[in-house]
């Protein structure tokens, strides 16, 4: 999602920010499980770095195809060090931005890794899915998007510092299975168009099927 220069730019902005106890943004249940630091959501550093992240999301065809975003919560930033962790929890269904009328239903949760994985131990994002646990620890600049309905946790960070951006997406297509079908169809349509050409009747027909399914399932 972010190249090395953009990661460095975001880190320069947020590392100098006013980090505070992460429990400021938690629901009552998740506060019990959570130990980390966050940037206050309305501070200048979070706003400036968040704008860079939002621009990158909007410019990513892969993110748009996978998430079909209707609304994206302004990105937040967190940091784990010295054994800090976030125990198993589910994110709140509704997110309201403090001091505004911006609110979203969280269909998807997203974590954008902002530290080089070799610079810290632990800190895996563990997502409990239909087929078991997935342990996610990605290069700086890489993003993981997963159903917000998933139980998940962040393992203790035992060396160094795990820095990330996190946010939620309200998708035009609320149902995870329907969104997945659309994503896979989109990938197939793109592959067919590359082989046969955009104007090939089969590619045109499949593109039409994609849009007609999206028309049936999208809520705006
Ligand atoms: Ni969470």
């Amino acid at each position: 999602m972010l190249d090395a220069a953009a990661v460095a730019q975001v880190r320069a902005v947020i590392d100098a920010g006013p980090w505070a106890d992460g429990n400021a943004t938690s629901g009552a249940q998740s506060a019990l499980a959570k130990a980390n630091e966050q940037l206050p959501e309305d501070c200048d550093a979070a706003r400036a770095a968040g704008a860079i992240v939002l621009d990158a999301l909007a410019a990513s065809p892969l993110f748009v195809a996978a998430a079909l975003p209707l609304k994206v919560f302004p990105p937040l930033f967190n940091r784990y060090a010295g054994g800090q962790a976030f125990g198993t929890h589910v994110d709140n269904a509704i997110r309201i931005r403090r001091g505004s009328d911006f609110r979203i239903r969280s269909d998807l949760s997203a974590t954008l890794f902002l530290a080089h994985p070799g610079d810290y131990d632990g800190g895996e994002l563990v997502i409990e899915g239909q087929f078991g646990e997935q342990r996610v620890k990605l290069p700086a600049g890489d993003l993981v998007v997963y159903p917000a309905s998933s139980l998940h946790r962040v393992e203790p960070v035992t060396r160094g510092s795990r820095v990330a951006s996190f946010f939620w997406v309200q998708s035009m297509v609320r149902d995870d299975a329907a969104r997945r079908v659309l994503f896979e169809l989109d990938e197939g349509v793109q592959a067919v168009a590359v082989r046969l050409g955009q104007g090939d009747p089969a590619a045109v027909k499949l593109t039409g099927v994609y849009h007609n399914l999206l028309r049936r399932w999208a809520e705006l």
Side-chain angles (χ1 to χ4, degrees):
M1 190 59 58
L2 298 181
D3 62 18
V7 170
Q9 190 187 2
V10 167
R11 284 295 302 268
V13 171
I14 64 173
D15 287 358
W19 292 90
D21 184 338
N23 282 318
T25 61
S26 305
Q29 182 266 328
S30 59
L32 296 174
K34 180 176 176 184
N36 68 5
E37 288 185 305
Q38 281 180 207
L39 284 182
E41 62 183 80
D42 50 2
C43 74
D44 289 344
R47 278 182 206 280
I52 296 170
V53 174
L54 288 176
D55 285 349
L57 294 176
S60 165
L62 182 59
F63 172 75
V64 172
L68 295 169
L70 177 63
K71 297 189 213 176
V72 179
F73 199 86
L76 302 173
F77 297 87
N78 63 14
R79 185 162 79 179
Y80 297 77
Q84 288 180 320
F86 196 161
T88 303
H89 66 281
V90 168
D91 293 344
N92 287 356
I94 308 294
R95 287 278 167 176
I96 299 168
R97 181 158 171 94
R98 196 164 305 153
S100 79
D101 55 7
F102 182 91
R103 59 180 187 169
I104 69 169
R105 182 187 67 231
S106 58
D107 295 323
L108 293 162
S109 296
T111 296
L112 173 62
F113 289 80
L114 292 171
H116 177 36
D119 289 347
Y120 62 97
D121 288 337
E124 293 85 358
L125 172 65
V126 183
I127 304 164
E128 297 182 17
Q130 211 176 340
F131 303 109
E133 286 189 352
Q134 263 189 293
R135 304 176 65 82
V136 183
K137 184 170 178 174
L138 299 176
D142 280 21
L143 177 76
V144 59
V145 177
Y146 57 99
S149 53
S150 314
L151 284 168
H152 59 278
R153 65 179 185 271
V154 175
E155 297 282 51
V157 173
T158 55
R159 178 185 63 89
S161 174
R162 176 199 195 268
V163 183
S165 176
F166 64 104
F167 52 89
W168 300 276
V169 179
Q170 181 171 337
S171 179
M172 291 186 284
V173 176
R174 177 181 192 159
D175 182 67
D176 292 328
R179 194 184 321 108
R180 187 187 180 105
V181 166
L182 285 168
F183 182 51
E184 290 179 358
L185 178 58
D186 185 50
E187 289 183 312
V189 170
Q190 303 296 338
V192 166
V194 165
R195 278 185 220 171
L196 303 180
Q198 292 282 357
D200 181 89
V204 171
K205 192 160 192 173
L206 285 171
T207 302
V209 170
Y210 175 85
H211 284 284
N212 290 333
L213 282 175
L214 184 57
R215 209 185 318 278
R216 293 179 75 92
W217 292 340
E219 307 161 79
L220 303 180

